[in-house]
Amino acid sequence: MSKSFYITTPIYYVNASPHIGHAYTTIVADVLARYHRMAGENTFFVTGTDEHGDKIAEAAQKSGVTPQEYADKISAQFRALCPELAITNDYFIRTTDADHIETVRYILQKVYDAGDIYFGSYGGHYCFGCERFLTEKEIVDGKCPDHGKEPQYIEEKNYFFKMSKYQNWLIDHIKNNPEFIRPERYKNEALAFLRDPLEDLCISRPKSRLKWGITLPFDENYVTYVWFDALINYVTALGYPNGEKFKKFWPVAEHLIAKDILKPHGIYWPTMLKSAGIEPYRHLNVHGYWNSDQSKMSKSLGNIVRPLDLKDKYGLDAFRYFLLRDMVFGLDSNFSEEAFVGRLNSDLANDLGNLVSRTITMAVKYCDGKVPEIDRKKKDTILYDAAQKAVSEVKASFRDMSLHKALIAIWEFINITNKYIVENEPWTLGKDPASKEKLTAIMYNLLAALRATAILLMPFMPQTAEKILRQIGVEQSESLNLAGIGVEDALTAGSPLIRGESLFPRITQEKDSNENSAKKVSTISLKPGIDYEEFAKVDLRVGKILAAEAVPKSNKLIKLKVDIGEERTIVAGIAKDYTPADLIGKKVVIVANLKPATLMGVESYGMLLATDTDNGLTVLSFDREPQTGAKVR
Ligand code: MSP
């Protein structure tokens, strides 16, 4: 029987629209789901919305609508975000779904019947942002550190869950299963919390104070506490207690959350499961927080980053790539649009986009537009070995949830492939008919490397992977997986190669007059970016043309004698647009440090710069008289 994989995201509160924090968790879950599906595992991926509780009731009241209407509206936004971000969730759960309400009541009754719920009185400091009572230790300077607000003192009669009863069991379970909560820093945080005696959990709200919730099965006058309701979504989605899915997927449940909700997931949920006679989930995977411009994202600071804005501006895969590459799983990360554009230009436009476009262009040129037949496999296995190395590193990264490391490994492979092109110089081999067989093998190896790159990228950047595969004639319907990556004859000879548009156009960043940085998407196809240092290697000079004559037997070339502070012979392909007499005395721009080349038997020591116009070429000249030999910067 094939393995199973169950992945969940938190179900998001419907009191505010989605931002990049929500998008990040959902995208990570999607990458995991796609990866496990690709490995042939039975996969179930659930996300959804958390719709009961004070927060929602309050937000609805402010908007002048019923809580249900309010929840419907915002839940629909979260649901609509999924296809926009290419999220492949199998199910979208809402806590207002009828089956969920039934499951919550079923579990409450079970826990009640087990004797783990009692009625009592409690006074405590309640944070409406967290939707829970805070302990004295959690309150900093009289405020909730997460929400920056003073908690409200509330005293009332309520139902309590005997969480304290399971404290020792939970400590043992965490210690005996070191990966139960991961990464380790969060396991340690949970254990630190468990060092103090665990208080029982208040799990009800009197209807006199809050009506928007699930009515307790054993007392009509109370609704369930929102966290007791919400956590249960993870088993409702599987059809607990009798669903087939529950049997298949619950034993392999992987929860994915950010550090803000470690306590409900790491403490409340396992003890609730224990009391209800349900096995604990397998892993709680905890990531850090996205901050924006070095601060916590908040409406009042006006620094909320909206996922759809970024997606629309830069493209979905660039957005997915940035989030996944930039955040070290478990640690906080700072979002800045500048860093995003930087990565887009370097990793996506330069490394990946450039690799794909030049490989396809060369393969179209040297292999008649088709995947070539290779009679004899070329002995070099550099790219196949590199692909295998990337595969094993990617597998290891998925095992320990460090997706950024998987992307680093894939980029190492991309860069080895780029280096392979530079070292093998297909353009030189292309000039020599005797090298045809070698050239064909090199082009085949490069196309196979593109196939490997696309498969490796599939979970992370599904649209890009598809575009690459289409260009090399691979059908998406073929079952593609990591196991088939290093296979040398994986490509079908004769499949058409289709040159596509640039995968990632470069973005130019400009400062506008207000000193705010504005980013502009480049609409022209530019060569990969270079640093100033690289540009400065080109020695450009003002040259004065002293003499000019046509090169015999050529209708294009003119031999020039140019003064650039010293005399040079330069051959220029401008005879169709200039007569020698036109040129004498002109001041022009010369690339002075180009290695000498022989053109139609004449040695040329430099190059003259020109551009096309509708009426032919024009050489670059000046509108003020420069010094001969002056540097052009
Ligand atoms: N409704 C509860 C979760 C119940 S799960 C049984 C909740 N909702 S939430 O809308 O506040 O979502 C919190 C989650 O959204 C975080 O755990 C994380 O997955 C994601 N993020 C929200 N803001 C985030 C950042 N700034 N950075 C990273 N992820 C964050 O809590």
Side-chain angles (χ1 to χ4, degrees), residues 103-204:
T103 309
V104 170
R105 286 166 60 89
Y106 176 86
I107 289 182
L108 275 166
Q109 190 64 52
K110 219 171 162 203
V111 174
Y112 186 77
D113 293 345
D116 282 348
I117 290 176
Y118 64 90
F119 194 59
S121 183
Y122 184 78
H125 300 279
Y126 194 78
C127 170
F128 284 88
C130 297
E131 293 268 24
R132 63 184 178 85
F133 287 101
L134 302 183
T135 60
E136 290 297 337
K137 265 193 179 173
E138 285 175 305
I139 300 169
V140 180
D141 298 331
K143 290 182 177 163
C144 162
D146 279 351
H147 294 93
K149 285 190 187 150
E150 277 179 30
Q152 203 173 312
Y153 188 83
I154 291 181
E155 191 167 355
E156 61 195 12
K157 283 199 165 297
N158 264 313
Y159 287 90
F160 289 81
F161 165 53
K162 285 189 191 164
M163 197 156 71
S164 55
K165 178 173 157 190
Y166 298 104
Q167 176 161 12
N168 290 336
W169 166 81
L170 181 57
I171 293 171
D172 288 346
H173 187 77
I174 296 174
K175 286 189 173 161
N176 295 335
N177 299 275
E179 295 231 301
F180 182 60
I181 300 175
R182 58 187 185 177
E184 202 176 1
R185 54 174 35 226
Y186 296 109
K187 172 185 97 171
N188 294 339
E189 203 175 297
L191 284 173
F193 183 77
L194 287 165
R195 253 179 244 133
D196 290 333
L198 203 53
E199 286 175 19
D200 290 341
L201 184 67
C202 176
I203 55 147
S204 68

Side-chain angles (χ1 to χ4, degrees), residues 9-15 19-26 49-50 55 78 227 230-234 256-261 265 287-291 296-297 327:
T9 73
I11 48 170
Y12 304 112
Y13 285 131
V14 290
N15 62 335
H19 61 61
I20 65 159
H22 306 115
Y24 174 75
T25 314
T26 311
T49 45
D50 186 356
K55 253 198 228 277
F78 277 97
W227 270 107
L231 289 160
I232 289 173
N233 94 85
Y234 299 132
L256 184 64
I257 59 164
K259 63 181 188 181
D260 55 334
I261 49 178
H265 283 81
H287 64 76
Y289 238 51
W290 278 100
N291 296 321
K296 203 175 156 157
M297 264 182 279
M327 182 172 260

Side-chain angles (χ1 to χ4, degrees), residues 314-327:
Y314 299 110
L316 174 60
D317 277 2
F319 175 59
R320 287 176 63 116
Y321 174 78
F322 177 75
L323 291 186
L324 295 162
R325 174 64 186 79
D326 219 59
M327 182 172 260

